[in-house]
Amino acid sequence: APTTIKTNHRTAVKSELSSATMRVMWSTTFERFAVGKVVCGAVAVFVEDWTRPRAGESRIFEQDVLERLGCTKPWVPPALYVPLSAVLVWLSADKDTRVVGLLAWYGAGVLAWTLFEYLAHRFSFHHAPATRRQLVIGYLIHGNHHAFPDDVRRLTTPVVMTLPIGAAILGVFLLVLGRPGFGCFAGFMHGYLLYDLVHYAIHRGALQTPVGRFLRRHHLQHHFLAPHRKFGVTSPLWDVIFRTSR
């Protein structure tokens, strides 16, 4: 009898822990946290429920200067990163470099971006916050976009975010690959630019080709039907591989 009681207790505990784990999900965040102004140090952020998409524009920061830095025109990333990527390609080449090799590294960088896009979206952007600080970080990174999916001022990633992140990733590429890392990162950067522009066009309804309509449907299903699936924006490749496409 004691053994039976102990076994039943363990089963009950496991079931309770499993239920608690299920409740701590990105989609149930606002069953655990309230919406409204959240103060983190000197920064105040207005957090809205990201499971209830609405029309219109949002205000994220109480401080005006931070609010302005959080908005980006769609032409800004290409204006900055297209010339920069040309410099990276030039840095990756020397007198012994073959065009085929350069293109291979560039293509590897584009492919690396598609995987990075998928993993970041799935595991970072949709991370279930456990603290108020994590709630704020999650809202700044991605939650605001789900709460206000058509806020045109925030459809492209602010340069104040992409520059330091890009610099860190470039450092990793150079550490691992050496000089070819410049060309590989140029491909990675162009993958990011494609992501930003495709994402902008999806939400502005500007994709009219069959591929464009597929990508738009794929992404809007992620927004409005299945936020736990369909994480790829520029490609469904990794959704298919990791079985999150259905």
Side-chain angles (χ1 to χ4, degrees), residues 36-218:
K37 184 168 80 171
V38 181
V39 178
C40 288
V43 177
V45 175
F46 299 106
V47 175
E48 297 289 347
D49 186 342
W50 54 52
T51 66
R52 298 176 181 270
R54 67 222 72 183
E57 296 181 347
S58 65
R59 183 177 180 96
I60 295 181
F61 296 101
E62 189 172 57
Q63 294 84 352
D64 289 338
V65 63
L66 293 179
E67 183 67 11
R68 286 193 295 271
L69 288 172
C71 300
T72 305
K73 300 288 186 181
W75 57 265
V76 172
L80 176 64
Y81 292 122
V82 168
L84 184 55
S85 62
V87 172
L88 291 172
V89 171
W90 177 74
L91 288 173
S92 69
D94 58 25
K95 59 183 177 61
D96 297 320
T97 302
R98 294 184 177 181
V99 174
V100 173
L102 189 59
L103 289 175
W105 283 117
Y106 177 90
V110 174
L111 183 63
W113 163 261
T114 63
L115 179 59
F116 179 86
E117 173 193 304
Y118 175 87
L119 294 176
H121 193 179
R122 181 177 179 180
F123 296 108
S124 177
F125 294 4
H126 283 260
H127 171 72
T131 66
R132 297 288 284 181
R133 184 178 295 275
Q134 289 180 12
L135 174 70
V136 169
I137 293 171
Y139 190 75
L140 293 177
I141 291 174
H142 193 59
N144 173 262
H145 176 54
H146 272 264
F148 297 88
D150 294 321
D151 186 347
V152 68
R153 305 164 307 146
R154 304 187 196 277
L155 292 179
T156 48
T157 314
V159 171
V160 292
M161 287 180 59
T162 58
L163 269 176
I165 294 172
I169 295 173
L170 173 60
V172 173
F173 276 39
L174 294 177
L175 185 65
V176 174
L177 302 175
R179 188 165 189 164
F182 285 115
C184 191
F185 187 73
F188 187 90
M189 184 182 294
H190 283 170
Y192 152 70
L193 283 177
L194 181 63
Y195 159 82
D196 245 3
L197 296 175
V198 166
H199 187 236
Y200 183 88
I202 283 172
H203 284 278
R204 298 297 286 167
L207 294 174
Q208 301 303 326
T209 66
V211 172
R213 287 194 294 270
F214 169 81
L215 291 176
R216 187 168 193 267
R217 184 172 62 252
H218 184 82

